[in-house]
Amino acid sequence: MAEIEEIPNNEQLEEEFSIWKKNTPFLYDLIVSHPLEWPSLIVHWVPSSSPTPYSADPTFSLHKLVFGTHTSDDAPNYLIIADAILPTSLAETNFETTSDNNIIPKVDITQKILVDGEAHQSAVEDVSWHLQNENLFGSAGDDCQLIIWDLRTNMPQQAVKAHEKEINYLSFNPFNEWILATASSDNTVALFDTRNLTEPLHVLSGHSGEVFQVEWDPNHETVLASSSDDRRLIVWDINRVGDEQLELDAEDGPPELLFSHGGHKTKISDFSWNKDEPWVIASVADDNSLQVWQMAESIYNNGDDPQGPSVDE
């Protein structure tokens, strides 16, 4: 008979935490711990060409974060903008040679945006910054709402019920400033044009379970990938929407379904495109597996371009 795993009590947890804290100087080059009033389901670094020097000490730099709150009962939810003040390589030298430096790496909350009845009515599942407009970002939540925010007004710029079930992820296209994709528990990925969110441009159907993540290929404008509870990571090419198919091919999915990776035995936890090596993807799953893979060239190459779809198509 298998042993039942013992759940540590509070005293054991405190002892383990004390040991961990004691060993942090040996385990980390940098660690910043910032307590939150409420837990957050999401966190993202705000894209920037380069970090801003910290005015009080140029050996530190200022990075921006956005995260949310996951409250209980009737407490309001917020999207929160924060500054993360982190040391540069120069600051590392200062730490070694100076004992009276009173500037420490830290996180400062700079802006709280109320998520009220005009915006999300339940937990925010994901936020994503617009890659070409520093004032815009999108949020998606359990209320099926896709909302585009403008920091200049602190108000939703656009809002739409984008899916019939929870939206778990959204991703802005890195090449086209108007296009974004959403992943939902309704088993689909939807493509939207931010100039008109009324209806999706197209809905990608191929997963048999909730879709938890969607990411655009950083090297090809028309290619994106999505991962699902069905243990599949699907690569899509929206340039192939509407292509004619043989009846046998149609049984495997729509023409835009380029490739389905089935190498994991359980739900895929996360995946990432390799920007420096086209078509290479790393994926991890709950089965304790890490896989780095690249589909065969014959799958994505139409014969005209060995690199596959062009960003200009």
Side-chain angles (χ1 to χ4, degrees), residues 4 27 45 48-49 94 203 214 226-227 230 239 265 283 298:
I4 299 176
L27 299 174
W45 294 101
S48 174
S49 56
N94 287 343
V203 176
V214 61
S226 57
S227 61
D230 62 8
N239 209 38
K265 297 179 181 179
S283 54
S298 60

Side-chain angles (χ1 to χ4, degrees), residues 196-216:
N196 182 9
L197 290 180
T198 306
E199 295 288 340
L201 294 172
H202 188 69
V203 176
L204 302 172
S205 301
H207 286 293
S208 60
E210 298 179 62
V211 187
F212 292 112
Q213 186 178 1
V214 61
E215 294 282 1
W216 291 94

Side-chain angles (χ1 to χ4, degrees), residues 128-181:
S128 180
W129 219 267
H130 195 287
L131 299 176
Q132 299 183 41
N133 188 327
E134 63 181 11
N135 294 306
L136 299 181
F137 67 96
S139 64
D142 289 351
D143 56 5
C144 309
Q145 292 284 316
L146 166 64
I147 299 177
I148 306 300
W149 299 83
D150 192 327
L151 283 180
R152 292 165 293 191
T153 63
N154 272 11
M155 296 290 292
Q157 186 186 66
Q158 296 186 72
V160 66
K161 182 180 179 183
H163 290 268
E164 293 302 315
K165 291 186 178 181
E166 299 94 330
I167 305 174
N168 301 311
Y169 211 92
L170 74 151
S171 178
F172 284 95
N173 188 297
F175 300 101
N176 190 317
E177 63 178 305
W178 308 113
I179 306 302
L180 63 83

Side-chain angles (χ1 to χ4, degrees), residues 44-261:
H44 284 279
W45 294 101
V46 177
S48 174
S49 56
S50 61
T52 304
Y54 184 48
S55 58
D57 187 335
T59 63
F60 286 74
S61 58
L62 190 149
H63 307 249
K64 284 192 175 294
L65 285 167
V66 58
F67 54 95
T69 61
H70 186 208
T71 61
S72 61
D73 301 325
D74 296 325
N77 279 295
Y78 291 89
L79 288 172
I80 297 174
I81 313 298
D83 287 342
I85 302 166
L86 305 179
T88 65
S89 57
L90 295 175
E92 293 175 1
T93 304
N94 287 343
F95 284 137
E96 293 174 358
T97 59
T98 306
S99 59
D100 58 353
N101 192 329
N102 58 3
I103 299 175
I104 61 172
K106 60 180 179 179
V107 171
D108 285 334
I109 293 174
T110 60
Q111 193 172 353
K112 295 176 69 174
I113 303 174
L114 177 64
V115 180
D116 57 16
E118 297 181 358
H120 293 291
Q121 298 179 357
S122 57
V124 177
E125 289 289 346
D126 190 36
V127 294
S128 180
W129 219 267
H130 195 287
L131 299 176
Q132 299 183 41
N133 188 327
E134 63 181 11
N135 294 306
L136 299 181
F137 67 96
S139 64
D142 289 351
D143 56 5
C144 309
Q145 292 284 316
L146 166 64
I147 299 177
I148 306 300
W149 299 83
D150 192 327
L151 283 180
R152 292 165 293 191
T153 63
N154 272 11
M155 296 290 292
Q157 186 186 66
Q158 296 186 72
V160 66
K161 182 180 179 183
H163 290 268
E164 293 302 315
K165 291 186 178 181
E166 299 94 330
I167 305 174
N168 301 311
Y169 211 92
L170 74 151
S171 178
F172 284 95
N173 188 297
F175 300 101
N176 190 317
E177 63 178 305
W178 308 113
I179 306 302
L180 63 83
T182 55
S184 171
S185 294
D186 64 9
N187 301 1
T188 68
V189 171
L191 307 177
F192 286 91
D193 187 324
T194 57
R195 292 169 292 189
N196 182 9
L197 290 180
T198 306
E199 295 288 340
L201 294 172
H202 188 69
V203 176
L204 302 172
S205 301
H207 286 293
S208 60
E210 298 179 62
V211 187
F212 292 112
Q213 186 178 1
V214 61
E215 294 282 1
W216 291 94
D217 182 344
N219 295 296
H220 304 102
E221 180 179 349
T222 64
V223 176
L224 66 163
S226 57
S227 61
S228 166
D229 199 33
D230 62 8
R231 309 185 310 280
R232 297 292 183 265
L233 197 160
I234 294 180
V235 179
W236 311 86
D237 181 4
I238 59 176
N239 209 38
R240 305 188 184 207
V241 171
D243 284 1
E244 292 186 8
Q245 286 181 294
L246 297 174
E247 184 177 347
L248 189 62
D249 292 334
E251 294 177 0
D252 294 329
E256 61 269 24
L257 197 163
L258 185 62
F259 185 76
S260 179
H261 176 61

